[in-house]
Amino acid sequence: MSDRTPAPRGSADPGSSGRGLSALGHALLGLLHEQPRSGYDLCQLFATTPMARFSSSPGAIYPALKQLDTRRLIVGTRERAASLRPRQVYRPTPAGLAALTAWVSKPVTRDEVIFEADLLMLRFVFMDGLVRPAVARRFLETLSGLVDAYVRELEAFLPTVRANSRRHGALALEHGVERHRLLAEWARRALNPFKAPRRSPRKTTRTARSRTT
Amino acid sequence: MSDRTPAPRGSADPGSSGRGLSALGHALLGLLHEQPRSGYDLCQLFATTPMARFSSSPGAIYPALKQLDTRRLIVGTRERAASLRPRQVYRPTPAGLAALTAWVSKPVTRDEVIFEADLLMLRFVFMDGLVRPAVARRFLETLSGLVDAYVRELEAFLPTVRANSRRHGALALEHGVERHRLLAEWARRALNPFKAPRRSPRKTTRTARSRTT
DNA sequence: TTGTACATGTAATCAGTTACATGATTCT
DNA sequence: AGAATCATGTAACTGATTACATGTACAA
């Protein structure tokens, strides 16, 4: 097993000054792209939906919003402006959109598969309607390949663990294997719609299928 | 969905002064219980095995060891004492054992299922040979129950997400459901050995089945 | 009028990462 | 002799959590 990539840390990314955004920053950008929201809305979202996995408290969200604002990646429009506590509704700027696009499009790595699988899932979600299908497709293909490889890595430990450890260790590792197998299978399943319409020269019809809301 | 439990933070736990240990502290305690090791050994372990998920750099491990030492939860024996850089091999003290036992035995909560599933797995691993089987059994029973409940929570979001979001959101949520279903099933499977030998007075025979390597 | 939800924020603290410093020992 | 690996640590920084501060709008 190789060591964790150091990651350049502090070089350029589209439309922002300073160094890269935190995971939360990217998550907020994605959520604001889905629809404009206030800080309070975002807190509620994290508190009441499965987005809770990426969690966060007002103490993290408000500073992160301010940072995004400072970097001109989002803009806030004042609602209830007369009031002393106006409600700020944020949305991404073009630069913000670019940063979000760059984030979701960036190549999947082995380390992300192991250490940040949930972030990977979030990137996949925010990809939708933002990048060309080919990008999502490549994402899923790389993902399934890397996960398969990791499954093999884990499996290589099974004999040792079964021999050395007590029973619980083996059970845990087996679960790890199953979990990643499930992920790889999911990725391949998600890939199906991209592969289906190979033949048939007449266009649209099956492309115009996602816009059903 | 309820909000995250605040957690008392800073009250007594067996054999330690000051506040509770970090996740890493507990992980180290567990690994040192498995077998005595040096800081370097621990670094290697995190770098080269699936323990990498709980990761960590020397910059985290050495301070954590020092803290455990200060609190008398581990003791180090000097090896190669003549040398200028003696190798410290640590093992848990009785107080450390007690802290570890308390950690692994502590009741499973919904929040842990959602936010710290991997820590939960680690607790299960370190339980082995440390606590009575009844404790592990209760752990798995609670776990499977809580996971089932969370699956139902997630499923409740499926209709909304399928209606509102684009396709990727639904796919991600579906994967979340599958993943937790797998976990619950795993817990039930792991539970089998605890349940099996109810009847039949002659012992072993069906217990001696896991040692097939 | 009192409490609850709305709404935004700050300050103290904490755990962990990155990057570096230091030197010993063993292999080639 | 030089490289790799063994072995332990420190300092600066980052991002998040906890707990608190502040005040509005509305419903019972």
Side-chain angles (χ1 to χ4, degrees), chain B residues 105-167:
Chain B
S105 308
K106 124 188 119 162
V108 181
T109 66
R110 173 185 173 275
D111 281 5
E112 281 177 301
V113 168
I114 302 173
F115 302 110
E116 300 180 292
D118 42 5
L119 261 295
L120 234 31
M121 217 34 104
L122 207 57
R123 277 170 59 189
F124 179 70
V125 170
F126 291 149
M127 239 175 235
D128 208 351
L130 182 70
V131 298
R132 281 164 304 132
V135 176
R137 183 186 176 153
R138 187 169 53 87
F139 178 94
L140 290 171
E141 280 168 349
T142 317
L143 178 62
S144 60
L146 286 171
V147 175
D148 285 338
Y150 186 56
V151 166
R152 285 192 290 275
E153 278 183 49
L154 288 179
E155 282 171 337
F157 281 92
L158 275 173
T160 321
V161 170
R162 284 205 254 251
N164 296 350
S165 312
R166 296 166 173 280
R167 199 165 45 88

Side-chain angles (χ1 to χ4, degrees), chain B residues 65-128:
Chain B
L65 282 174
K66 185 176 283 185
Q67 203 204 45
L68 289 171
D69 195 19
T70 307
R71 296 190 189 189
R72 313 282 168 192
L73 299 175
I74 59 176
V75 272
T77 61
R78 251 161 216 69
E79 281 187 9
R80 216 170 57 240
S83 175
L84 290 175
R85 280 276 161 136
R87 176 182 147 94
Q88 284 272 16
V89 175
Y90 293 101
R91 72 196 65 226
T93 61
L97 251 277
L100 180 61
T101 307
W103 182 60
V104 301
S105 308
K106 124 188 119 162
V108 181
T109 66
R110 173 185 173 275
D111 281 5
E112 281 177 301
V113 168
I114 302 173
F115 302 110
E116 300 180 292
D118 42 5
L119 261 295
L120 234 31
M121 217 34 104
L122 207 57
R123 277 170 59 189
F124 179 70
V125 170
F126 291 149
M127 239 175 235
D128 208 351

Side-chain angles (χ1 to χ4, degrees), chain A:
Chain A
M1 252 171 227
S2 60
D3 27 1
R4 222 146 160 183
T5 45
R9 259 330 192 180
S11 41
D13 44 305
S16 82
S17 53
R19 53 189 133 309
L21 297 174
S22 66
L24 179 59
H26 285 119
L28 294 179
L29 220 37
L31 290 169
L32 295 177
H33 177 233
E34 240 177 47
Q35 77 179 256
R37 303 173 206 256
S38 67
Y40 186 79
D41 291 339
L42 291 163
C43 289
Q44 291 300 98
L45 196 74
F46 282 117
T48 62
T49 72
M51 278 296 297
R53 280 191 69 59
F54 312 94
S55 150
S56 266
S57 37
I61 289 170
Y62 284 104
L65 281 174
K66 184 174 286 183
Q67 203 204 45
L68 289 171
D69 195 18
T70 306
R71 297 190 187 188
R72 313 283 169 194
L73 299 175
I74 59 174
V75 271
T77 61
R78 249 160 217 70
E79 282 187 9
R80 216 171 57 244
S83 176
L84 290 175
R85 280 277 159 137
R87 177 183 147 94
Q88 283 272 17
V89 175
Y90 293 101
R91 74 195 66 225
T93 61
L97 251 276
L100 181 60
T101 307
W103 182 61
V104 302
S105 308
K106 128 189 115 159
V108 181
T109 65
R110 173 185 172 274
D111 281 4
E112 281 176 302
V113 168
I114 302 174
F115 302 110
E116 300 180 295
D118 43 4
L119 261 296
L120 233 31
M121 217 33 106
L122 207 57
R123 276 169 60 187
F124 179 70
V125 170
F126 291 149
M127 240 174 239
D128 209 351
L130 181 69
V131 297
R132 282 163 304 134
V135 176
R137 183 186 175 154
R138 188 170 52 88
F139 178 94
L140 291 171
E141 280 167 348
T142 317
L143 178 61
S144 61
L146 287 171
V147 175
D148 285 338
Y150 187 56
V151 166
R152 285 191 291 273
E153 279 184 47
L154 288 179
E155 282 171 337
F157 281 92
L158 276 173
T160 322
V161 170
R162 283 205 256 251
N164 297 349
S165 312
R166 296 167 173 280
R167 198 165 44 87
H168 290 206
L171 280 167
L173 183 56
E174 280 159 20
H175 178 250
V177 171
E178 285 172 12
R179 203 151 83 61
H180 285 93
R181 270 209 266 260
L182 183 74
L183 177 57
E185 277 157 32
W186 171 86
R188 274 186 280 271
R189 233 156 47 229
L191 215 36
N192 282 336
F194 294 94
K195 297 181 162 173
R198 224 14 6 196
R199 206 151 287 262
S200 101
R202 52 201 159 86
K203 46 197 164 182
T204 51
T205 316
R206 43 172 51 98
T207 319
R209 168 187 149 282
S210 46
R211 214 218 318 84
T212 331
T213 322

